[in-house]
């Protein structure tokens, strides 16, 4: 059986009396890879913003404290599944469209709200052929989150779909 068998299960269970969150967790365990989420703490602005005289309220792109987020952050390991949208514009949320070709799917508890997600980043780490992270946590790609959409079913957040764009490192 294909390792992607649960993907079709996710799309077929909407509206049924199934624990969608556990199905998503099973799917993520099968096809997800470890990534790092650099989660912004929106209560702690970085001092690099106050030090800039050329542009007010913008972080320093070379700042080694906030990494151009503008806020202090914490790095956490997460399981994530990356999907390509095939270059089509995707409806991201009401009144917003995203042409991003890439999206990450992560567990419901990675972010508290969409604003925190949009000020955070996902880091893809160098892995061996089996998906195991190589020693040293070498970042090969960084993704800016441009939109964060929660999938909520019966009042319960199941997962986040994060539309991303690659950032040069």
């Amino acid at each position: 059986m294909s390792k992607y068998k649960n993907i079709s299960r996710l799309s077929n269970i909407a509206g049924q009396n199934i624990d969608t969150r556990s199905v998503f967790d099973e799917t993520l365990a099968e096809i997800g890879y470890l990534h790092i989420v650099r989660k912004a703490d929106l209560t702690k602005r970085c001092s690099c913003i106050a030090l800039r005289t050329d542009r007010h309220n913008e972080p320093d792109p070379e700042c080694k404290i906030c990494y151009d987020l503008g806020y202090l952050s914490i790095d956490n390991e997460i399981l994530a599944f990356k999907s390509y949208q095939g270059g089509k514009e995707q409806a991201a949320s009401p009144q917003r469209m995203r042409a991003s070709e890439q999206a990450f799917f992560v567990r419901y508890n990675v972010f508290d709200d969409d604003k925190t997600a949009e000020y955070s980043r996902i880091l893809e780490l160098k892995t061996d052929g089996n998906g195991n992270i190589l020693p040293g946590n070498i970042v090969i790609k960084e993704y800016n989150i441009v939109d964060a959409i929660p999938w909520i079913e019966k009042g319960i957040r199941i997962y986040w779909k994060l539309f991303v764009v690659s950032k040069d490192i």
Side-chain angles (χ1 to χ4, degrees):
M1 233 179 166
S2 168
K3 71 177 193 172
Y4 300 106
K5 66 181 180 196
N6 281 334
I7 294 176
S8 60
R9 277 182 37 197
L10 275 176
S11 60
N12 291 330
I13 59 177
Q16 297 180 23
N17 193 16
I18 296 174
D19 182 3
T20 314
R21 189 179 279 179
S22 67
V23 173
F24 178 75
D25 287 345
E26 289 171 17
T27 303
L28 198 56
E30 282 186 32
I31 63 174
Y33 289 96
L34 279 177
H35 290 75
I36 300 291
V37 65
R38 181 161 287 153
K39 190 169 157 181
D41 181 349
L42 299 182
T43 64
K44 298 178 181 166
R45 299 270 293 178
C46 184
S47 60
C48 73
I49 293 174
L51 298 174
R52 289 195 73 177
T53 56
D54 56 338
R55 292 186 168 172
H56 299 288
N57 293 323
E58 286 187 27
D60 182 353
E62 303 298 319
C63 182
K64 298 299 180 199
I65 297 170
C66 72
Y67 302 99
D68 191 27
L69 287 173
Y71 296 93
L72 301 185
S73 61
I74 187 164
D75 289 355
N76 292 312
E77 280 188 356
I78 60 165
L79 265 180
F81 168 71
K82 183 168 53 171
S83 165
Y84 292 91
Q85 304 296 326
K88 298 176 186 173
E89 282 195 353
Q90 300 291 318
S93 60
Q95 280 70 45
R96 293 194 284 183
M97 294 293 286
R98 288 284 175 231
S100 174
E101 294 183 18
Q102 300 176 68
F104 280 90
F105 295 86
V106 298
R107 289 194 74 217
Y108 66 94
N109 61 352
V110 172
F111 298 108
D112 299 326
D113 56 42
D114 59 343
K115 184 171 177 153
T116 302
E118 290 178 25
Y119 277 93
S120 300
R121 301 231 171 86
I122 294 179
L123 309 178
E124 190 171 335
L125 304 175
K126 189 171 186 173
T127 60
D128 63 14
N130 298 322
N132 301 314
I133 296 173
L134 294 175
N137 288 345
I138 301 163
V139 177
I140 58 170
K141 240 181 203 171
E142 187 172 330
Y143 298 92
N144 289 337
I145 300 169
V146 294
D147 207 355
I149 310 301
W151 179 14
I152 298 172
E153 188 174 290
K154 299 178 186 168
I156 299 171
R157 186 168 58 223
I158 307 300
Y159 65 78
W160 286 98
K161 183 175 186 179
L162 308 171
F163 290 91
V164 297
V165 291
S166 296
K167 180 181 179 212
D168 294 330
I169 3 182

